[in-house]
Structure formats: C-alpha cells, structure tokens
Amino acid sequence: MGLLHWEDRYSVGVAAVDHEHRELIELINRLYAEAIAQRSKDAVVGFFGDLFKAISSHFALEERFMRERGYDHLTQHKNDHERLLDEIRDIMEDYEASSRFDDRLLADALDAWFSRHFETHDARLHKALGAH
C-alpha cells in the first residue's frame, strides 16, 4: 500500500502537468517503501535526492505554464513551491544527519502538498488554465 494515491481533484487540466503529478505520486510511494524497509541509508538518501529533483523539475514545468499564460498568482504559487522544497530539504538533511527516518514527518509534509497545495494553489491554477 502506498503513502499517496492519485485523486481526480489533483488534476490541473493540463495533460503534461497531470502526468507528472501521477509520476510524483509513484516516486513518493517508492521512496516511502524504501525508507520503511530501511534497506540502506544510501538507498534512502538516493530516493530523497530523486524525489527532490523530480519535484523541482515538476514545479519548473508548472511555473513555465503559469508564465506563458500570464497567470496572475504566479508569485504566490511559486512561493508555496519554495516552501515545500524547503520542507523536503529539511527532512532529507535530518535523515542524512541522524540516519533516523521519521515517516510521519514525511507523510505530513507530503500530505500538506497534495492536500493544501492542490486544494488552494493548484485548484485556482486549474480554473485559470481551464479558462484559456
């Protein structure tokens, strides 16, 4: 069983962005399974690195769509992206420093992104992109 599951409410109505959302959920679930299994610190650190890169790349794609379409809340949306990246970086650094994986902290941070971020910023983005 994965940590996160795709829900239609995560859709922003742009196929490339929605596809990446699904891929991120799959990556998050693989990271979570690896971290819980605690096979090796290097493997978990590698998954954190892959997750951070994938999320950063995804945010860059979303921000490009917003810039191209003159999205009026680009700054606020980008700031929320930066907040999430900071949270994930903190979790990754804490794990590297302690070798202790706090699955609840990761779950809370990811839930915040896939719930609050999608229900606020991405929902508004979906409405704006759908209007174009």
Side-chain angles (χ1 to χ4, degrees):
M1 181 172 171
L3 181 65
L4 297 174
H5 303 282
W6 173 259
E7 296 182 29
D8 288 339
R9 68 187 172 115
Y10 296 156
S11 175
V12 296
V14 176
V17 174
D18 289 343
H19 176 74
E20 284 199 4
H21 284 166
R22 287 183 180 94
E23 286 184 339
L24 286 173
I25 289 173
E26 289 175 18
L27 181 63
I28 287 164
N29 288 332
R30 286 195 315 267
L31 163 64
Y32 184 73
E34 181 70 25
I36 294 304
Q38 299 270 334
R39 293 187 191 134
S40 78
K41 181 178 179 176
D42 288 342
V44 176
V45 169
F47 274 109
F48 271 121
D50 290 346
L51 177 62
F52 189 84
K53 283 186 262 181
I55 290 173
S56 296
S57 176
H58 170 70
F59 286 168
L61 175 68
E62 266 191 6
E63 291 164 12
R64 187 186 89 217
F65 277 115
M66 289 186 273
R67 275 192 304 279
E68 288 172 354
R69 294 177 176 160
Y71 184 57
D72 63 342
H73 279 75
L74 171 63
T75 300
Q76 297 91 327
H77 201 123
K78 186 173 170 60
N79 288 343
D80 202 56
H81 285 170
E82 292 301 320
R83 179 194 55 78
L84 177 69
L85 290 173
D86 287 345
E87 288 176 8
I88 297 223
R89 189 179 302 112
D90 290 346
I91 294 168
M92 183 170 53
E93 289 171 357
D94 288 347
Y95 179 78
E96 287 179 290
S98 71
S99 294
R100 183 182 64 76
F101 177 74
D102 186 339
D103 63 323
R104 191 71 256 146
L105 184 60
L106 177 62
D108 289 348
L110 296 174
D111 181 62
W113 178 37
F114 276 96
S115 295
R116 288 191 309 262
H117 181 78
F118 276 96
E119 291 169 359
T120 57
H121 294 281
D122 280 353
R124 188 178 192 292
L125 177 61
H126 171 73
K127 287 179 186 172
L129 293 179
H132 281 85

